[in-house]
Amino acid sequence: MKVIEAREYVVNHLQYALNPKSIAVIGASRYKTKVGYKVIEGLTNWGYKGEIYPVNPRATYVHGRKAYKRVIDIEDEVDLAFVAVPAHIVKSVLEDCVAKNVKIAVIATSAFKEIGRGDLQNELTEYCRKNELPLIGPNLVGMGSPYLNFNCGFIPYLPIEGPVAMISQSGANLLAALGTSQKDHYGMSFFVGLGNKADVDFCEFIEYAGLDEHTKCLAIYVEGLDSSEAFVKSCKKVDKPIVVIKVGGSKIGEKAAFAHTASENAGTSDAFYDELFKEAGAIRATTWQEFLDVSLALGTQPPLAGDHIVMITNGGGSGLLSCDHFERLGLPLHELQEISPQLRERIKAYMPMFGSPLNPVDISGTASPIQYKGAFRQAMCDPNVDGVLGSICPTAVTDVDAVVDIIIELHETYKHLHKPFVMECQGGQECHEAILKLRDHGIPAYATAEQAVNAMVALYKYGQIVKNK
């Protein structure tokens, strides 16, 4: 249901969704394949330190813990109620939660508006709003935070610690991001599935993320945006980069979005959302890979203040892919002599005679770690350079590990200059390992030229957003 703006009591209570001292799992199950079992298993296995209270009227113990018939039977306070019972029982469960003074409720259960039962969903929402019990969901996978060892839902693993808060209507895509986090070191501060977002909306989690100390960038997956005014208001209040991917705009996608999360997109268009996200000061991604790539860059690097980008590579092909993609995206590279004639001459000392001091700067396939170090240092220190894009293309003489160590050293030395530093490593296993190591040291690194360029362009767009605020 629509909200006009983020509600203060909801924002204040979201801490209990991600950092509760006690959780009642309502619908806790003794059977390992059930959601109500997996929730307790995930909380326990990933190190949740608070109290867990299984609620199951037909069990004495669940997962080795004393079970309660109803949430009101629990002797102690309950911060979070995680509800995994059939849809027709949810109302009575929420009534018990209100009577117990539960701080916040999460409904994993499906079979509401997405299958045509909008009246039932609205009834639950109105009841919760009347009693100021924030309701997340229904029809969601869960939420968590690696910083808090908190895994609440039917979620197989936590992401690694990092700067990106992901707020998603899709549970499947959220789970994909968690897998990417572990495999490719896409670091996250917290994540939450909103599902049908009957009550708690994007705007409230946006404002919560704006206050979260670990969050440096917000990544938001949208299927339907019924509270667009509230979305814009909250985005404008948050002084952090926001990346949005909006789906469900195609003819069949409109129907699929409703069947998935009851999201309504009739009467909207891509142009409408382009304008809305522009007004909000959010950067729109159009593909899932771009969504992940640019949010990682925005979470780890400062905004790009201008368009004087210098690319340094040992591979001419990588440079050509990059400069063409920069131009496609409306941010063409400038020749080195246009950026800084002195830099052109200084950087030539770190390349062979057959290298190219244009831009991209090709220090050739024979480049040594010392040549990389000299070229990068000259670019980083030049006051006319706004950002640096580096590329490693392994040849038989390329010492990838040594170059990576130099890049990390230079990043630490010069990050006080607030110039974005993005890397591309195109190759095999040695490059994958290099990407992980660079990411672990706060440097966004990618496997293709296009990914790295997308990241740098997003940093430029955010720089323009900051200038215009």
Side-chain angles (χ1 to χ4, degrees):
M1 290 177 67
K2 186 172 183 177
V3 294
I4 298 173
E5 60 184 359
R7 295 156 291 170
E8 185 177 2
Y9 80 88
V10 173
V11 177
N12 290 340
H13 277 72
L14 290 183
Q15 61 179 305
Y16 301 112
L18 288 160
N19 191 18
K21 293 180 181 178
S22 57
I23 303 172
V25 180
I26 304 165
S29 177
R30 293 163 289 182
Y31 301 101
K32 293 184 178 181
T33 58
K34 298 291 187 179
V35 171
Y37 184 94
K38 292 298 182 183
V39 175
I40 298 176
E41 182 179 61
L43 288 165
T44 304
N45 290 350
W46 287 89
Y48 173 64
K49 303 300 183 186
E51 297 295 331
I52 303 172
Y53 301 108
V55 177
N56 183 329
R58 294 184 297 276
T60 305
Y61 288 90
V62 173
H63 219 287
R65 300 172 185 271
K66 177 184 175 182
Y68 297 83
K69 294 187 181 303
R70 296 166 63 187
V71 70
I72 56 174
D73 296 328
I74 298 170
E75 301 90 350
D76 301 315
E77 290 187 359
V78 175
D79 284 349
L80 169 64
F82 192 96
V83 182
V85 299
H88 67 278
I89 304 174
V90 170
K91 178 65 183 299
S92 64
V93 167
L94 292 175
E95 290 171 348
D96 281 354
C97 288
V98 169
K100 182 63 183 174
N101 291 317
V102 170
K103 305 293 195 308
I104 195 163
V106 174
I107 301 179
T109 310
S110 302
F112 288 98
K113 188 177 178 180
E114 76 278 8
I115 63 165
R117 300 170 78 183
D119 289 344
L120 176 58
Q121 180 172 301
N122 290 342
E123 180 187 352
L124 301 179
T125 305
E126 289 168 358
Y127 177 79
C128 287
R129 290 184 178 180
K130 178 182 177 181
N131 290 280
E132 293 197 350
L133 172 64
L135 166 65
I136 303 176
N139 184 25
L140 58 77
V141 68
M143 67 277 300
S145 168
Y147 289 98
L148 300 169
N149 298 316
F150 183 61
N151 177 350
C152 187
F154 47 114
I155 298 163
Y157 34 64
L158 286 176
I160 67 165
E161 294 180 359
V164 181
M166 185 167 289
I167 305 164
S168 173
Q169 280 189 269
S170 167
N173 288 338
L174 188 56
L175 292 169
L178 303 185
T180 297
S181 177
Q182 290 214 337
K183 180 174 70 75
D184 295 333
H185 293 199
Y186 172 84
M188 299 170 74
S189 54
F190 74 83
F191 62 90
V192 60
L194 292 186
N196 291 8
K197 58 179 184 62
D199 178 38
V200 176
D201 209 317
F202 287 112
C203 59
E204 284 136 351
F205 264 108
I206 288 169
E207 295 197 15
Y208 175 84
L211 301 171
D212 180 59
E213 62 175 326
H214 299 299
T215 297
K216 310 302 178 187
C217 176
L218 288 69
I220 306 173
Y221 171 94
V222 179
E223 295 192 1
L225 198 61
D226 47 14
S227 297
S228 55
E229 301 93 341
F231 181 91
V232 171
K233 283 181 185 178
S234 293
C235 286
K236 286 182 174 180
K237 289 172 70 173
V238 171
D239 191 24
K240 296 177 182 180
I242 298 172
V243 182
V244 182
I245 185 166
K246 169 67 180 70
V247 300
S250 61
K251 186 176 180 180
I252 193 67
E254 183 180 315
K255 295 180 180 179
F258 186 88
H260 185 214
T261 55
S263 297
E264 298 179 6
N265 289 292
T268 63
S269 64
D270 266 356
F272 167 81
Y273 283 108
D274 283 341
E275 287 301 314
L276 187 141
F277 296 140
K278 182 179 179 181
E279 182 185 356
I283 295 169
R284 184 177 188 181
T286 55
T287 68
W288 181 251
Q289 189 64 58
E290 182 190 5
F291 179 63
L292 297 177
D293 291 341
V294 303
S295 56
L296 178 66
L298 289 161
T300 54
Q301 293 294 299
L304 181 62
D307 65 351
H308 285 180
I309 303 162
V310 172
M311 180 177 183
I312 296 169
T313 179
N314 69 334
S318 169
L320 285 165
L321 287 170
S322 300
C323 60
D324 283 1
H325 197 49
F326 269 118
E327 191 154 323
R328 276 194 294 271
L329 297 180
L331 190 65
L333 293 177
H334 299 281
E335 286 194 32
L336 213 59
Q337 62 185 9
E338 296 174 23
I339 296 173
S340 174
Q342 294 82 10
L343 176 59
R344 174 187 166 92
E345 294 308 310
R346 288 196 301 268
I347 217 164
K348 283 172 70 175
Y350 299 97
M351 65 175 67
M353 290 180 63
F354 51 86
S356 170
L358 296 171
N359 194 21
V361 178
D362 184 358
I363 58 177
S364 87
T366 62
S368 68
I370 297 300
Q371 288 172 311
Y372 261 108
K373 186 172 185 177
F376 275 133
R377 179 189 285 132
Q378 293 298 329
M380 290 298 292
C381 291
D382 193 297
N384 296 309
V385 175
D386 297 312
V388 177
L389 172 58
S391 172
I392 303 173
C393 308
T395 70
V397 299
T398 306
D399 189 339
V400 174
D401 290 340
V403 174
V404 166
D405 288 341
I406 284 168
I407 290 165
I408 293 168
E409 175 193 336
L410 292 174
H411 179 252
E412 288 300 314
T413 301
Y414 295 114
K415 64 182 179 183
H416 68 279
L417 298 175
H418 304 292
K419 295 182 180 182
F421 199 167
V422 175
M423 284 298 302
E424 176 228 8
C425 304
Q426 60 174 44
Q429 184 61 30
E430 76 278 32
C431 281
H432 180 66
E433 292 172 2
I435 287 169
L436 300 186
K437 188 172 182 178
L438 289 165
R439 290 185 173 191
D440 288 345
H441 285 83
I443 303 167
Y446 307 95
T448 70
E450 291 80 8
Q451 288 175 277
V453 171
N454 286 343
M456 190 64 86
V457 170
L459 290 164
Y460 177 77
K461 288 179 179 178
Y462 185 60
Q464 297 304 299
I465 289 169
V466 170
K467 281 182 182 179
N468 295 326
K469 272 194 173 181

